[in-house]
């Protein structure tokens, strides 16, 4: 436990603490930029510089470990001037059209400049070359705004193991981007948007599709409905200055209605549907393996997360059969909306315009995949991220904070607590187990408060085993079987699980993968900046939402039950398969 | 073993290979076979010997004879003469500096005999591909000693005690680094060698790897044992294929001999070594970036701490040293710390290898004891700056380092002394810059390099150096602004404080040090848009014009002469310089020293062309004069009718003024007539141009001396609105030795003036002239012409250091004037009757470098001696007695007593202007002319409130020029002179006229650097 002095205050900190952490502990709010707690400490941006007695130059506090007896000045003239110079230099290369930038409201560079008291840029000169990469459906990169903090590089390479973005070139012509100045669409970008989630400025953002939605809403011939993903309600409020972890479902529904949607529904409905389809698929595979001795692909992976699907297609094509063939809840919702719901309304599928609000940028990609478009009609027409919805509400001049609570329309707005927890890591697995266990045993799910503790939380890879006992006759072949499941979030962690399965180190039946850290609540389309503290707050909110529900198991959702009985027939049956399932193909790895 | 009576060591370092060493080596083998000498003489291909500039080179043993510039056809002669007959081939050996004397043996060659070789102890002497050669010279004995007789602690103690400091540049004590790593507890540690030499012009490490790779392997193995590492990596750039090849070969050999591997020399210690090649990124010289690169990632630095000794390669404790550091280990272990510490300075032990490059005669590789004076490395070992150019500065440490200006050549080359001057020891790149180097441009070059090589990770380096570069580029392009220097300094300091790694932190160093030492050059670029060195090409039309203090359009008048349009040429010349004929004879032609044609063969003889041009003038051509009644009515006085006063009056007259020149002497012309002898400047030429000025409305009143016949206040009272002081530096300085007040002692200026004005002067039979400047030469040659039988010039420095114009010194020698350099007068000896006996002289020798960049003359060991003579003429300096000039008017003067003015001749008194020698101290005629012009413009501006200098506007010269044609192959035309024995008989002009075809052909040699360049009019007016 070294003791050091920060701005004349003595602090004792654990070994391995950085100067930045120690300073913050001492009440000195040292600014930082490239630093991402637990993710990136590379000392690159030089914004967190402090003066350390005896050092020949200023020290990047985020990356420097403390030492016994160290004397640190975070507020010396030299430290302040150093930081100011660094930020001035960043501003001098940055395409700073703040007024028209998507990040104007939450730009970290702009905030820094203001906080550091920069009132002029003394060193004007050439600016970073501007080139716009809007090659993907999900993301737009604007190199002119990039300040090369490398947050995106670290999340893309280390968190996700994708490596679509990295620094190239030297000197002032250094750029961050895909190899050989390619576009994102030319490389194995999975479009998860984690880069956009961590970008401190407007250099990487979601592709803005608000205008398309406005146009649809203005079109009298279109019946425009909206679905909102489970993770939205615990994050949307942050766009209106609510604390992270504030659930704003009711206000969100009111806002969507005011925006003019003809139906305000819930992806949660489709999440419940997914559990029925995916649970049935799992049981079918288990039966085929255990009873028929057929060579089916196990373990089975969830397929809700489109970034994960992209990743598998590029990086693990040999495991594609292991992916559940279920479409994601977003796509299931769209498919049902343009068939069952359309029929109920007496409309043609093309007259229904489905808007999704997702925490995710990869959903934008998913919605336009050829597999998701039938006879020219996509299941989902436009995907907005949480951030876009915030902007849309602001554009409409809606006073979000003062909106009354409202509830979603039926039937596609009905859902259970199991659907809520699709928002966070471990949630899909828990929801599936709640249903599968009860189907197989006919007994109530035996976990306290229905939560499977070992698969909750922000640990990268989590595992649980569920012993099946007292099965109903139909599923008696599972009697005494210990179902082994694993949960991974981030693609880096997912790859670790795959490697362990490949090597035989792990024998598993069912694996949940969510692309983003913390699951969808930490998605690439969520309000910035998502730290672990924010993730935990959002997850807590989601669990609370689940726990407050009357119905908490997907198979208890009456609307879903009715959908099967009135329209789909059997789970995994022909019609269900036609509407709700898909398949995957190997993609080139670049 | 075979015994050979002789060995031919052919250098096959990279430099010599490039100049053909492999073919030379093959030719030796072939020739020896042909002569049947293969059993007697062995050819050995060695590593670098050092003098790359004269490669290919070879050493013949046992004689130790050093051959240079060997071409294949020379080989047969060396074999025949030297190896068969035992006779040195003098044609191919080096010469004592400045002489024709051959120096055959390597130990006598000045390039070698001041060097001390520890690191390069084997390079050039052994075959790098033969481990046996290395072992025969105590190779691997240190490793064996370390493994069998020493503990790791003892090794570290020894290295620590030796005082060895890291040779990569920062100079961190090697032993301390080893100790830190040794103290870390870790199963895995690494020892790393930085061979990623990236400084422009540096090739020390490459040469060691090419010439003696085992010394690095051994050093690393010892280090590995000391810190407990079992794996090492040498990080070397792929651009060094020969180094990589030889190192890999050596590693394989060492493994084969059990000197690398699981059980080294039976000691049980395991260590192995791998080469990792980088793609030549400068930033990979930064240790953390190098490790990141070895790990397989993009070579980018990471923050320190943690330091590599704690957490280095793959997060394991690692020691990184550079090639040269490791090469020092063998002798330290074998001969001991004490032996090593005996070389060097108190704080910096051992030697340092430097790569000499840039404007240096002996470009190559040298190793010297740390603490040697910088001047000695450059001038004695390096042979100084080639040609007639003067040394300006030396860049040490490449783009991370700084420069040392010529006035600090006495600096001992050690870590601390260099740091005090804002330079660094660096890894050993020594780039020598001569007077043609522009320091702003050099700063731009180095900054551009670091900006290009920045990894882009941190903003201070990526953006900050870019912003600095933009500012410097702006300055180079003539768009500098006030405040730029301060901006650069501020930004530079902040970058040093805030950048992530050493590359960024040191990137501003070249700029900061070049501002520190050459601020005046930066200011000239920014304020005057003038690049004195003639490098920043956007600021001038041609280098010759840029070098001319009077800004004469040289390519313009020269090309007009080339088209035989002599009148137009002369008119163009007189646009900026009225005294064309005078300058055609006495100008020191700074234009010629910057002539681009020198790079091809020799400069255009601009002064010769000019002289010929003026000879074609039959009737005096008057320049364009503006008639202006208001100006004509304004009274302006010019004091002094030397070149400054004449020029000022001329340009005032062109603006319509009718100035009056007051001249103290009875004849106008100032120094032109008083000091410059008629054999250099015929009086009728002088008179012609003075009368031209008179014809323009200028009145010259002679015998009117300021302070004697009139006062400044008096002029004011008479209604003079402005006064220009062109009073020169008329007082001769005292020698300051006993006896100088005695009989027979005179002072050069008054001696010359007495003769030139009065027509007669007393001259002795044996005359001693004391001094080395132009006045000394003029006095000596005048005395000779007036009947002295023997004239001796006594000068305290060397002949090469004489400030007089080289052509004049040569002419004096031709006339049998005796030059006696390196003597200082200590007394003017008279006998009891007061009769002059002679000058007692003290023989001098050269001591340390002084602030003039020359070695200071100090008393030698030999006894004083008498130079007998009956007349002593002292020519040791001039000064201005300004106090006698001013009566109640106080004009500020400089520390040395010269009048203080701004660049436009404005003094501290708003109606008094000044220019010429009175302001600058003794200088050139053309500088005085330029100063007169500037003052004339300033006077006009003061009187009218505006700049009317119409002659400064750019005049387009319509001479023909084909830019695609090859330059005409005409050699520079010499100036015909009267034979020495004839000319000493009188004062007729020494130089003779050219024929018209000679002049035209010479003029056509001009490469027309001005072609297509429109000078910025605005810049012109600002000048």
């Amino acid at each position: 436990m070294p003791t050091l002095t920060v701005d004349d205050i003595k602090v004792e900190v654990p070994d391995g603490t950085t100067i930045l952490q120690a300073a913050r502990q001492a009440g000195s709010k040292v600014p930082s930029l490239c630093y991402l707690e637990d993710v990136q400490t590379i000392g690159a941006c030089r914004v967190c510089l402090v003066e350390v007695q005896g050092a020949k130059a200023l020290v990047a506090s985020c990356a420097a470990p403390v030492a016994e007896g160290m004397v640190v000045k975070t507020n010396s003239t030299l430290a302040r001037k150093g930081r100011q110079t660094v930020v001035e230099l960043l501003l001098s290369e940055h395409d700073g059209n703040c007024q028209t930038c998507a990040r104007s409201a939450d730009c970290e560079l702009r905030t820094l400049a203001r906080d550091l008291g920069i009132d002029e840029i003394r060193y004007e000169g050439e600016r970073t070359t501007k080139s716009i990469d809007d090659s993907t459906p999900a993301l737009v990169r604007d190199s002119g705004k990039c300040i090369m903090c490398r947050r995106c590089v670290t999340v893309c390479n280390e968190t996700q193991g994708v490596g679509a973005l990295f620094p190239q070139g030297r000197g002032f012509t250094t750029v961050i981007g895909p190899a050989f100045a390619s576009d994102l669409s030319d490389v194995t970008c999975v479009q998860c948007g984690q880069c956009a989630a961590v970008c401190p400025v407007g250099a990487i953002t979601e592709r803005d599709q608000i205008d398309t939605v406005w146009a649809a809403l203005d079109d009298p011939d279109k019946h425009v409905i909206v679905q909102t993903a489970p993770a939205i309600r615990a994050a949307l409020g942050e766009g209106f200055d609510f604390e992270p972890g504030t659930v704003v479902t009711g206000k969100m529904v009111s806002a969507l209605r005011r925006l003019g949607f003809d139906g305000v529904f819930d992806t949660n409905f489709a999440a419940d549907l997914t559990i029925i389809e995916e649970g049935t698929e799992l049981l079918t595979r288990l039966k085929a393996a255990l009873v028929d001795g057929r060579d089916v692909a196990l373990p089975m992976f969830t397929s809700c997360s489109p970034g994960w699907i992209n990743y598998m297609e590029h990086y693990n094509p040999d495991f594609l059969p292991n992916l559940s063939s279920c479409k994601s809840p977003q796509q299931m919702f769209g498919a049902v909306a343009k068939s069952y719901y359309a029929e109920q309304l007496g409309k043609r599928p093309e007259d229904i315009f489905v808007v999704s609000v997702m925490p995710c940028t990869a959903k934008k990609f998913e919605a336009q995949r050829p597999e998701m478009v039938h006879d020219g009609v996509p299941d989902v027409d436009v995907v907005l991220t949480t951030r876009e919805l915030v902007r849309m509400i602001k554009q409409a001049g809606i006073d979000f904070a003062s909106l009354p609570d409202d509830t979603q329309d039926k039937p596609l707005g009905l859902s259970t607590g199991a659907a809520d927890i699709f928002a966070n890591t471990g949630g899909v697995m828990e929801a599936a187990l709640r249903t599968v266990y009860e189907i197989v045993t006919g007994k109530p799910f035996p976990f306290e408060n229905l939560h499977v503790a070992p698969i909750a939380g922000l640990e990268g890879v989590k595992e649980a085993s569920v012993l099946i006992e007292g099965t109903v006759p139909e599923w008696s072949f599972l009697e005494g079987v210990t179902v082994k499941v694993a949960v991974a979030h981030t693609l880096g962690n997912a790859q670790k699980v795959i490697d362990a399965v490949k090597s035989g180190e792990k024998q598993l039946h069912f694996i949940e993968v969510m692309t983003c850290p913390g699951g969808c609540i930490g998605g690439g389309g969520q309000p910035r900046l998502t730290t672990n503290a924010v993730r935990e707050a959002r997850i807590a909110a989601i669990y609370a939402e689940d726990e407050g529900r009357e119905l908490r198991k997907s198979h208890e959702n009456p609307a879903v039950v009715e959908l099967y009985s009135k329209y789909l027939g059997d789970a995994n049956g022909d019609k269900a398969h036609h509407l709700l399932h898909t398949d995957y193909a190997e993609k080139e790895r670049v | 073993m075979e015994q050979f009576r002789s060995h031919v060591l052919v250098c096959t370092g990279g430099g010599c290979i490039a100049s053909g060493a492999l073919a030379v080596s093959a030719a030796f083998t072939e020739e020896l076979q042909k002569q049947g000498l293969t059993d007697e003489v062995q050819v050995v291909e060695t590593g670098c010997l050092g003098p790359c500039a004269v490669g290919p080179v070879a050493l013949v043993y046992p004689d130790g004879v050093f051959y240079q510039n060997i071409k294949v056809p020379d080989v047969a002669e060396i074999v025949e003469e030297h190896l068969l007959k035992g006779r040195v081939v003098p044609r191919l050996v080096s010469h004592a500096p400045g002489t024709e004397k051959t120096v055959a043996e390597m130990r006598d060659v000045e390039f070698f005999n001041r060097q001390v070789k520890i690191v390069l102890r084997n390079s050039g002497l052994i075959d790098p591909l033969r481990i046996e050669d290395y072992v025969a010279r105590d190779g691997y004995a240190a490793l064996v000693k370390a493994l069998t007789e020493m503990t790791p602690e003892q090794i570290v103690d020894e290295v620590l005690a030796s005082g060895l400091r890291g040779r990569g540049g920062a100079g961190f004590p090697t032993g301390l680094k080893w100790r830190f790593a040794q103290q870390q507890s870790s199963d895995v540690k690494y020892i790393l060698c930085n061979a990623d030499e990236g400084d422009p012009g540096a090739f020390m490490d490459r040469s060691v790897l090419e010439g003696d790779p085992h010394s690095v392997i051994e050093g690393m193995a010892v280090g590995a044992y000391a810190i407990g590492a079992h794996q090492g990596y040498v990080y070397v750039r792929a651009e060094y294929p020969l180094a990589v090849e030889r190192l890999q070969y050596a590693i394989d050999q060492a493994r084969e001999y059990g000197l690398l591997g699981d059980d080294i020399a039976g000691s049980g210690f395991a260590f192995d070594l791998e080469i990792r090649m980088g793609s030549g990124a400068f930033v990979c010289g930064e240790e953390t970036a190098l490790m990141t690169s070895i790990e397989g990632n993009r070579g980018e630095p990471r923050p320190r701490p943690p330091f590599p000794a704690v957490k280095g390669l793959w997060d394991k404790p690692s020691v990184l040293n550079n090639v040269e550091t490791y090469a020092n280990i063998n002798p330290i272990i074998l001969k001991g710390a004490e032996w090593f510490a005996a070389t060097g300075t108190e704080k910096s032990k051992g030697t340092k290898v430097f790569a000499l490059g840039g404007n240096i005669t002996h470009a190559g590789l040298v190793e010297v004891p740390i603490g040697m004076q910088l001047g000695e490395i450059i001038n004695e070992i390096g042979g100084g700056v080639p040609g007639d150019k003067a040394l300006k500065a030396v860049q040490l440490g490449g783009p991370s380092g700084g420069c040392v200006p010529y006035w600090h050549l006495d600096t001992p080359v050690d870590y601390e002394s260099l740091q005090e001057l804002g330079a660094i020891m660096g890894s050993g790149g020594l780039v020598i810059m001569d007077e043609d180097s522009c320091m702003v441009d050099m700063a731009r070059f180095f900054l551009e390099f670091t900006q290009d090589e920045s990894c882009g990770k941190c903003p201070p380096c990526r953006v900050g150096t870019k912003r600095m570069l933009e500012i410097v580029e702006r300055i180079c392009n003539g768009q500098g602004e006030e405040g730029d220097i301060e901006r650069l300094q501020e930004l530079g300091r902040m970058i040093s404080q805030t950048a992530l790694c050493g590359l960024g932190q040191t990137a501003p160093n070249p700029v900061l040090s070049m501002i520190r030492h050459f601020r005046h050059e930066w200011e000239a670029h920014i304020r005057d848009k003038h690049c004195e060195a003639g490098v920043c090409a956007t600021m001038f039309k041609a280098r010759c014009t840029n070098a001319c203090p009077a800004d004469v359009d040289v390519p313009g008048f020269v090309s007009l002469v080339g088209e035989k349009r002599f009148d137009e040429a002369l008119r163009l010349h007189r646009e900026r310089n009225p005294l064309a004929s005078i300058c055609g004879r006495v100008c020191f032609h700074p234009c010629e020293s910057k002539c681009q044609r020198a790079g091809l063969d020799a400069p255009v003889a601009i002064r010769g062309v000019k002289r010929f041009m003026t000879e074609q003038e039959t009737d005096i051509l008057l320049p364009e004069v503006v008639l202006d009644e208001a100006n004509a009515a304004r009274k302006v006085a010019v004091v002094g009718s030397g070149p400054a006063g004449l020029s000022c009056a001329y340009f005032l007259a062109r603006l319509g003024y009718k100035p009056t020149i007051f001249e103290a002497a009875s004849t106008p012309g100032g120094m032109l007539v008083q000091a410059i002898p008629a054999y250099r400047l015929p009086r009728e030429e002088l008179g012609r141009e003075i009368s031209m000025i008179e014809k323009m409305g200028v009145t010259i009143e002679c015998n009117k001396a300021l302070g004697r016949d009139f006062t400044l206040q008096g002029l004011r009272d008479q209604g003079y609105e402005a006064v220009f002081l062109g009073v020169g530096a008329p007082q001769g300085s005292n020698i300051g030795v006993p006896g100088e007040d005695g009989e027979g002692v005179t002072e050069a200026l008054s001696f010359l003036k007495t003769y030139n004005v009065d027509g007669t002067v007393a001259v002795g039979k044996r005359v001693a002239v004391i001094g080395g400047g132009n006045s000394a030469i003029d006095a000596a040659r005048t005395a000779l012409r007036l009947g002295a039988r023997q004239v001796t010039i006594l000068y305290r420095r060397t002949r090469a250091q004489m400030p007089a114009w080289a052509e004049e010194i040569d002419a004096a020698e031709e006339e049998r004037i005796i030059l006696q350099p390196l003597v200082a007068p200590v007394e003017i000896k008279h006998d009891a009757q007061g009769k002059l006996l002679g000058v007692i002289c003290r023989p001098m020798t050269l001591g340390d470098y002084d602030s003039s960049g020359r070695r200071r003359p100090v008393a030698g060991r030999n006894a004083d001696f008498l130079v007998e003579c009956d007349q002593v003429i002292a020519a040791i300096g001039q000064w201005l007695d300004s106090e006698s000039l001013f009566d109640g008017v106080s004009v500020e003067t400089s520390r040395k007593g010269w009048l203080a003015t701004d660049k436009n001749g404005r003094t501290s008194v708003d109606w008094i202007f000044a220019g010429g020698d009175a302001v600058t101290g003794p200088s050139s005629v053309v500088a005085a002319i330029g100063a007169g012009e500037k003052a004339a413009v300033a006077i006009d501006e003061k009187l009218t409130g505006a700049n009317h200098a119409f002659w400064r506007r750019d005049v387009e010269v319509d001479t023909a020029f084909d830019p695609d044609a090859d330059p005409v192959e005409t050699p520079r035309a010499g100036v015909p002179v009267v034979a020495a024995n004839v000319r000493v008989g009188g004062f007729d002009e020494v130089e003779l006229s050219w024929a018209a075809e000679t002049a035209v052909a010479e003029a056509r040699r001009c490469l027309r650097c001005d072609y297509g360049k429109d000078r910025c009019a605005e810049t012109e007016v600002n000048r």
Side-chain angles (χ1 to χ4, degrees), chain B residues 759-936:
Chain B
T760 174
V761 70
V763 176
K765 292 285 164 229
R766 301 174 72 176
V767 178
V769 180
I770 299 171
N774 285 306
S775 295
I777 306 284
D778 285 343
R781 294 178 75 187
T782 297
L784 188 74
R785 279 163 174 73
L786 293 177
R789 282 209 209 111
Q790 183 186 310
V791 181
T792 307
I793 293 176
L794 305 172
Y795 182 54
R796 63 195 187 109
R797 295 176 183 263
T798 63
R799 183 188 192 278
Q801 292 177 346
M802 287 176 78
W805 199 14
E807 294 157 48
E808 288 290 299
I809 303 171
D810 292 343
E813 279 198 313
E814 281 163 22
E815 292 169 7
R816 306 208 165 189
I817 287 166
I818 300 162
L819 288 188
Q820 189 144 13
L822 281 174
V823 292
V826 288
E827 190 188 342
I828 312 291
K829 189 80 179 164
H830 294 84
D831 66 10
Q833 286 70 46
K835 187 168 168 292
L836 178 65
L837 293 176
V839 184
I840 298 182
C841 290
R842 179 157 299 164
M844 304 298 275
T845 183
L846 292 178
D848 288 348
Y849 283 87
D850 65 15
S851 63
S852 71
R854 303 172 294 181
R855 281 192 180 277
R856 187 194 315 276
V858 293
R861 291 213 188 111
N862 294 333
D864 295 352
F865 62 97
L866 181 74
V867 174
E868 285 178 39
C869 62
D870 53 18
Q871 185 177 30
V872 172
I873 301 175
I876 59 162
Q878 288 163 241
W879 60 290
L880 170 68
D881 179 9
S882 55
E883 273 187 31
S884 70
L885 300 179
F886 307 132
D887 185 19
V889 180
S890 74
V891 177
E892 269 177 34
T893 54
S894 72
R895 216 155 32 87
K896 289 182 174 170
W898 310 113
L899 304 182
T901 69
D902 72 0
K903 70 185 171 77
N904 290 314
R906 298 185 185 95
T907 68
S908 58
V909 178
D910 72 344
W911 52 277
I912 300 178
F913 298 78
D917 287 359
V919 170
T920 58
S923 182
S924 65
V925 171
V926 70
I929 293 169
E933 188 263 358
K934 287 191 181 66

Side-chain angles (χ1 to χ4, degrees), chain A residues 42 44-46 49 56-58 81-82 85 89 92-93 123 125-126 147-148 150 167-172 174, chain B residues 281 283 298 300 303 451-452 454-460 462-463 466-467 470 490-491 494 497-500 505:
Chain A
I42 57 170
C45 77
R46 318 307 288 169
L49 292 171
K56 68 178 165 94
L58 294 172
K81 278 185 84 172
T85 304
L89 290 171
S92 79
E93 68 169 345
Y123 310 107
E126 190 183 333
I147 53 171
M148 277 151 270
R150 297 166 183 232
Q168 292 152 73
R170 295 220 170 258
F172 191 72
T174 305
Chain B
V283 72
R298 174 180 157 99
E300 286 186 346
Q451 164 56 211
D452 277 352
S454 162
C455 78
K457 190 168 178 178
C458 75
R462 179 184 73 244
V463 192
K466 172 74 174 176
R467 296 292 171 254
E470 286 169 339
E490 164 72 10
L491 188 50
M494 287 323 293
Q497 275 294 330
T498 58
L500 170 58
Q505 286 165 4

Side-chain angles (χ1 to χ4, degrees), chain B residues 455-653:
Chain B
C455 78
K457 190 168 178 178
C458 75
C461 184
R462 179 184 73 244
V463 192
T465 60
K466 172 74 174 176
R467 296 292 171 254
M468 286 183 77
L469 178 61
E470 286 169 339
I471 296 172
V472 176
E473 280 174 338
R474 210 155 36 70
I475 296 172
C476 288
N477 289 334
Q479 293 155 342
E481 297 163 6
E482 283 298 329
D484 276 349
I485 293 177
E486 292 71 23
R487 248 187 297 279
L488 285 169
Q489 288 178 318
E490 164 72 10
L491 188 50
R493 272 192 289 268
M494 287 323 293
I495 292 171
S496 301
Q497 275 294 330
T498 58
L500 170 58
C501 79
L503 185 150
Q505 286 165 4
T506 59
N509 285 0
V511 173
L512 296 179
S513 95
M514 283 168 190
I515 289 176
R516 173 174 166 181
H517 298 301
F518 295 94
R519 196 184 178 100
H520 58 280
E521 253 184 73
W522 292 77
E523 287 170 349
H525 278 72
I526 293 168
R527 293 182 191 154
D528 310 339
K529 314 297 174 202
H530 181 59
C531 174
E532 184 188 300
V535 173
C536 299
T538 53
M539 289 196 267
F540 52 78
K541 199 167 171 182
R543 296 185 72 205
C544 45
T545 296
N546 186 60
C548 178
D551 213 22
V552 169
D553 182 352
V554 177
F557 89 77
V558 168
S559 65
L560 285 165
V561 170
E563 295 188 356
K564 301 189 182 172
R565 294 154 70 181
F566 306 121
D567 284 0
E568 285 171 76
L570 186 55
R571 197 179 287 280
L572 181 64
H573 188 283
R574 288 204 178 121
E575 279 299 299
R576 302 305 301 266
N577 178 349
L579 310 181
S581 170
I582 293 165
C583 283
R585 287 166 167 86
V586 302
C587 187
F588 296 169
H589 51 72
C591 51
E592 289 185 29
S593 65
K594 298 286 184 189
C595 178
Q596 288 285 48
R597 178 98 196 189
L600 196 64
D601 43 24
V604 174
I606 298 167
R607 186 174 67 84
V609 171
K610 180 180 303 192
R611 181 185 146 149
F612 176 83
M613 165 183 81
T614 61
E615 284 170 346
Q616 312 314 305
E617 186 183 31
T618 42
D619 296 320
I620 278 285
L621 298 164
L622 291 184
E624 181 186 351
V625 168
V626 175
L627 295 177
D628 187 319
E629 283 180 25
N631 285 355
R634 292 187 169 106
K635 290 177 80 173
V636 179
V638 173
V639 184
S641 66
L646 289 173
S647 166
C648 182
Y650 168 86
F651 285 104
L652 284 169

